[in-house]
Amino acid sequence: MWGFSNAALPGPLPSYFILSITAAMATDASAKVIDGKSVAKQIREEIAAEVSRMKDEIGVVPGLAVILVGDRKDSATYVRNKKKACESVGINSFEVHLPEDSSEQEVLNAISGFNDDPSVHGILVQLPLPSHMKEQNILNAVTIEKDVDGFHPLNIGRLAMRGREPLFVPCTPKGCIELLHRYGVEIKGKRAVVIGRSNIVGMPAALLLQREDATVSIVHSRTKNPEEITRQADIIISAVGQPNMVRGSWIKPGAVIIDVGINPVEDATSPRGYRLVGDICYEEACKIASAITPVPGGVGPMTIAMLLSNTLSAAKRAYNLQ
Ligand code: NDP
């Protein structure tokens, strides 16, 4: 077991850490709860202070532009949440909402307008796009200086190369690593397993862990013996989209678990008729792991906090502000 003595943390215990210990003791489990909600709140407060400093020092307010295409309800909710989060820290938000049957060129025109607009420092195209559009063409059109989602191939390529620095790192995997850092979890030299290899979560999460000197294995849908491989991990990041796939028997005692999965499962006792669970069987895992993120309230809030952080960095970089 390793990782969670006071000595592992720099300085006094932050309030979110104390909160998380209390939450863990309230259940019958041994694992600490990695409380993404309160860490994200703290990060948003730090960002709000920086946004206000930037305004005072150089009179510039960071701006995030969101392009939404079509009428998917989930995408509209994500965009609304992102706009609200911007407002809460003083970042300006801009939105273009195009109809489902728009042409690729119309989306490219919207991106081009924001690329040229000096009041916009970050551009985000809400995915998924309608099936008649080529995601690759659209994401490639965002200038890398404003690619706050970190999905441009140049940013991903730099992330993969030794000695190169991406301008931005994708928000969800960046949030996973930030949680490990803020909870004092040592990554260097540890064995890490990432379950899932998507462009937006699994693959960049594995690259980030490798950059932090972990020894990384990637488990995907064609992996043989995923349980055996996962059981070797000191750190597990799971981004699959299969409810409760990772059982207690997959987990090495004392492992630290970051559960990215968000999966609705039927629940007649919930007013909505469903509840959200992760990829990890929480009830089993929390008896074996040393620390674990809950779903909801783990990685989810961190994703938006990292988007705000990337937008602030973009604006600071544009004005050479430290
Ligand atoms: P994708 O569907 O793009 O990728 C899923 C990955 O899981 C693939 O690499 C796939 O393998 C792998 N996989 C599927 N089934 C298995 C299996 N049985 N065993 C091992 N690996 C498997 O999903 P995303 O990466 O976009 O999202 C993953 C989850 O994370 C979802 O639940 C999503 O809702 C959630 N999510 C949460 C976010 C947050 O902010 N908390 C943000 C983004 C996503 P293969 O490549 O072989 O097909």
Side-chain angles (χ1 to χ4, degrees):
M1 298 269 274
W2 50 274
F4 285 91
S5 70
N6 289 2
L9 291 161
L13 280 178
S15 56
Y16 61 76
F17 193 77
I18 295 163
L19 272 175
S20 72
I21 291 173
T22 315
M25 288 193 311
T27 71
D28 198 18
S30 61
K32 309 277 188 290
V33 178
I34 299 179
D35 186 347
K37 205 169 160 189
S38 57
V39 176
K41 182 168 176 279
Q42 167 140 354
I43 291 171
R44 284 205 309 271
E45 284 165 11
E46 292 163 11
I47 292 170
E50 278 297 282
V51 168
S52 146
R53 180 176 75 91
M54 194 169 176
K55 196 172 170 188
D56 291 347
E57 284 184 16
I58 59 168
V60 171
V61 176
L64 173 69
V66 181
I67 297 168
L68 173 63
V69 189
D71 297 314
R72 281 179 65 116
K73 274 197 180 145
D74 55 346
S75 292
T77 305
Y78 294 139
V79 167
R80 203 168 43 244
N81 289 343
K82 286 166 188 173
K83 286 178 75 173
K84 267 207 305 217
C86 283
E87 275 164 29
S88 77
V89 297
I91 289 178
N92 287 335
S93 67
F94 306 85
E95 184 187 339
V96 164
H97 189 174
L98 296 168
E100 177 82 20
D101 60 358
S102 306
S103 67
E104 205 170 284
Q105 191 55 50
E106 283 170 303
V107 182
L108 292 174
N109 291 346
I111 293 174
S112 169
F114 288 136
N115 278 344
D116 295 339
D117 183 343
S119 58
V120 169
H121 306 98
I123 302 171
L124 179 156
V125 182
Q126 184 64 44
L127 300 176
L129 288 161
S131 54
H132 66 278
M133 291 184 189
K134 241 188 159 175
E135 186 182 292
Q136 197 177 321
N137 294 345
I138 307 261
L139 296 184
N140 286 6
V142 175
T143 179
I144 65 161
E145 284 79 15
K146 299 188 181 186
D147 175 38
V148 284
D149 254 342
F151 295 158
H152 194 288
L154 273 176
N155 275 322
I156 295 281
R158 290 183 186 188
L159 184 65
M161 293 171 81
R162 281 182 79 91
R164 305 288 175 90
E165 288 301 324
L167 295 181
F168 302 98
V169 170
C171 300
T172 301
K174 183 176 175 180
C176 296
I177 303 296
E178 187 69 25
L179 281 176
L180 294 173
H181 285 166
R182 293 207 178 213
Y183 273 80
V185 176
E186 202 183 337
I187 302 175
K188 190 176 180 171
K190 299 294 176 187
R191 291 201 75 121
V193 167
V194 178
I195 315 180
R197 56 174 168 180
S198 69
N199 286 342
I200 64 169
V201 193
M203 178 266 288
L207 292 173
L208 280 171
L209 287 165
Q210 185 169 268
R211 285 174 85 94
E212 302 245 350
D213 294 328
T215 303
V216 184
S217 302
I218 298 169
V219 168
H220 49 76
S221 69
R222 310 294 162 90
T223 301
K224 296 204 167 39
N225 299 325
E227 177 172 347
E228 197 181 298
I229 295 166
T230 307
R231 205 167 34 235
Q232 295 172 13
D234 301 305
I235 298 168
I236 300 170
I237 296 183
S238 182
V240 176
Q242 301 275 348
N244 300 322
M245 185 183 89
V246 177
R247 307 298 303 263
S249 61
W250 294 41
I251 298 162
K252 175 174 163 180
V256 175
I257 303 178
I258 306 289
D259 189 354
V260 182
I262 302 177
N263 310 297
V265 292
E266 269 184 38
D267 181 355
T269 65
S270 154
R272 290 178 300 183
Y274 71 93
R275 71 195 155 89
L276 297 176
V277 301
D279 297 337
I280 312 277
C281 179
Y282 189 87
E283 290 70 25
E284 293 178 8
C286 65
K287 298 190 179 88
I288 301 162
S290 63
I292 184 166
T293 56
V295 177
V299 177
M302 291 297 287
T303 298
I304 290 193
M306 293 300 103
L307 174 67
L308 302 175
S309 160
N310 280 352
T311 305
L312 173 65
S313 304
K316 280 183 168 180
R317 195 180 289 126
Y319 292 91
N320 228 345
L321 191 74
Q322 293 307 306

